Amino acid sequence: MDVKYLNYIITIAKKKNMTKAAEELYVSQSSLSQYVSKLEQELGTPLFLRAKGELVLTPAGILYVNAAQKVIAIQKELYQDIGELDLRGHITIGVTSQFSLEMLTEIIPRFKADYPKITIEITETNIPTLVSLIAEENVDFGIAALNTTSAFSHEQVDILRNEEVFLAVPVDHPYCKINPGPTVSLQDLNAYFGDDNWLLSKKASSLRYVSDNVFHLSGLYPKAMCETNSITTTRSMVAMGIGVTFLAESCASARDKIVYYSLEPKQYRMNVLIRRKNWTLNSWETKLYHYIRDYFSSCSV
């Protein structure tokens, strides 16, 4: 049962603006306008009127929106009832960071003990792709490290924690003799690491955002850089003395070979849980949602 087009009219009515509705729906404004025009031709009456720069529902539009909301509610209830028949189901999760995988490694066995017939499909991807997957409703949950949640509505996002990002330096680096830790100032960063080989995450990653921000604040412009998508590879290269990098708390291992410095001022990224839009969770989806949402608070107890 595809209710995507019903959501088109509901979103236009909510936003009262075709451009804003298209942005929220991740469709082009022209496609959205064409759909509304075609629908109004089929119905033989307009659904919206323009008044004071806003799109306002006509009486027919009000009837259509009310009916559309009822159909969507019926669909949600139907899918829930079908899914609850024998506790079989399928949940898709998109993840972007190492902390996500470590979290799920602990959570999934507990969840499967309660719901052994539920299939969990995990897709490891990058942030732009995850945003698209959630917008297109191709995944149910997203677990990610982000610097901003502006791509999602407030109702979709739970901030699990603010995760500190550290400067990671080989233990035999000359700076470690001058300053064994635990903090490094932006002035020292500029003075002592300008000639180092910087091992950086690729553009659009949460760590790269932090890296670029620190470089801007410190006035440091690295002479040598290497980009990679693999945190494991980056950490191994630091441990081998090949370069320095920024790593988040969840990735800060190999401490016998790497010194981790807190930056002054401290730098953070957000660990977040994202739900797809217009989704009413059933019993097992709610259970998994709570396991993920409460993971860090239960770990600190």
Side-chain angles (χ1 to χ4, degrees), residues 141 273 281 285-295:
F141 289 116
L273 169 62
L281 281 65
E285 291 163 342
T286 300
K287 187 78 168 184
L288 183 59
Y289 166 74
H290 285 295
Y291 271 141
I292 298 171
R293 188 198 64 183
D294 300 335
Y295 176 78

Side-chain angles (χ1 to χ4, degrees), residues 130-172:
L130 180 62
V131 171
S132 297
L133 288 171
I134 292 174
E136 295 164 3
E137 300 187 2
N138 289 324
V139 296
D140 299 316
F141 289 116
I143 308 174
L146 300 177
N147 307 105
T148 175
T149 60
S150 59
F152 309 101
S153 67
H154 175 74
E155 294 78 13
Q156 287 180 272
V157 179
D158 287 284
I159 297 176
L160 305 177
R161 68 167 176 176
N162 289 311
E163 182 183 21
E164 187 173 0
V165 176
F166 302 104
L167 172 68
V169 180
V171 70
D172 59 356

Side-chain angles (χ1 to χ4, degrees), residues 46-95:
L47 298 178
F48 297 95
L49 293 176
R50 184 170 293 279
K52 297 181 180 180
E54 293 184 339
L55 292 176
V56 180
L57 287 169
T58 64
I62 294 172
L63 288 174
Y64 191 95
V65 168
N66 288 339
Q69 290 171 336
K70 290 177 182 177
V71 170
I72 291 172
I74 290 170
Q75 182 213 40
K76 290 178 180 178
E77 184 177 357
L78 173 63
Y79 283 12
Q80 284 182 339
D81 290 345
I82 291 174
E84 298 279 0
L85 287 175
D86 59 359
L87 292 181
R88 293 180 184 272
H90 182 266
I91 300 175
T92 54
I93 304 176
V95 301

Side-chain angles (χ1 to χ4, degrees), residues 254-269:
R255 290 180 176 266
D256 58 328
K257 297 179 180 179
I258 301 174
V259 177
Y260 293 95
Y261 292 94
S262 286
L263 292 144
E264 294 181 341
K266 289 187 175 184
Q267 300 295 309
Y268 296 92
R269 66 179 185 176

Side-chain angles (χ1 to χ4, degrees), residues 68-243:
Q69 290 171 336
K70 290 177 182 177
V71 170
I72 291 172
I74 290 170
Q75 182 213 40
K76 290 178 180 178
E77 184 177 357
L78 173 63
Y79 283 12
Q80 284 182 339
D81 290 345
I82 291 174
E84 298 279 0
L85 287 175
D86 59 359
L87 292 181
R88 293 180 184 272
H90 182 266
I91 300 175
T92 54
I93 304 176
V95 301
T96 69
S97 297
Q98 181 174 319
F99 89 87
S100 313
L101 295 173
E102 292 177 352
M103 174 194 298
L104 291 175
T105 299
E106 295 185 30
I107 287 175
I108 288 175
R110 287 188 285 153
F111 175 80
K112 294 290 283 185
D114 296 328
Y115 299 99
K117 296 180 181 179
I118 305 300
T119 300
I120 299 177
E121 179 184 346
I122 299 173
T123 300
E124 191 172 0
T125 184
N126 56 37
I127 292 171
T129 303
L130 180 62
V131 171
S132 297
L133 288 171
I134 292 174
E136 295 164 3
E137 300 187 2
N138 289 324
V139 296
D140 299 316
F141 289 116
I143 308 174
L146 300 177
N147 307 105
T148 175
T149 60
S150 59
F152 309 101
S153 67
H154 175 74
E155 294 78 13
Q156 287 180 272
V157 179
D158 287 284
I159 297 176
L160 305 177
R161 68 167 176 176
N162 289 311
E163 182 183 21
E164 187 173 0
V165 176
F166 302 104
L167 172 68
V169 180
V171 70
D172 59 356
H173 191 285
Y175 184 74
C176 297
K177 298 178 181 178
I178 300 170
N179 178 11
T183 61
V184 59
S185 66
L186 296 182
Q187 292 79 7
D188 275 5
L189 196 69
N190 194 343
Y192 292 99
F193 295 96
D195 294 327
D196 278 276
N197 181 36
W198 282 88
L199 311 170
L200 301 178
S201 301
K202 292 197 173 181
K203 292 286 187 181
S205 70
S206 59
L207 284 176
R208 184 57 180 268
Y209 179 92
V210 171
S211 302
D212 290 346
N213 184 54
V214 171
F215 290 151
H216 173 72
L217 292 173
S218 64
L220 172 64
Y221 300 97
K223 296 179 181 178
M225 291 193 298
C226 173
E227 292 185 348
T228 175
N229 277 331
S230 172
I231 293 299
T232 302
T233 300
T234 301
R235 187 175 55 230
S236 296
M237 292 172 73
V238 175
M240 294 168 63
I242 296 174

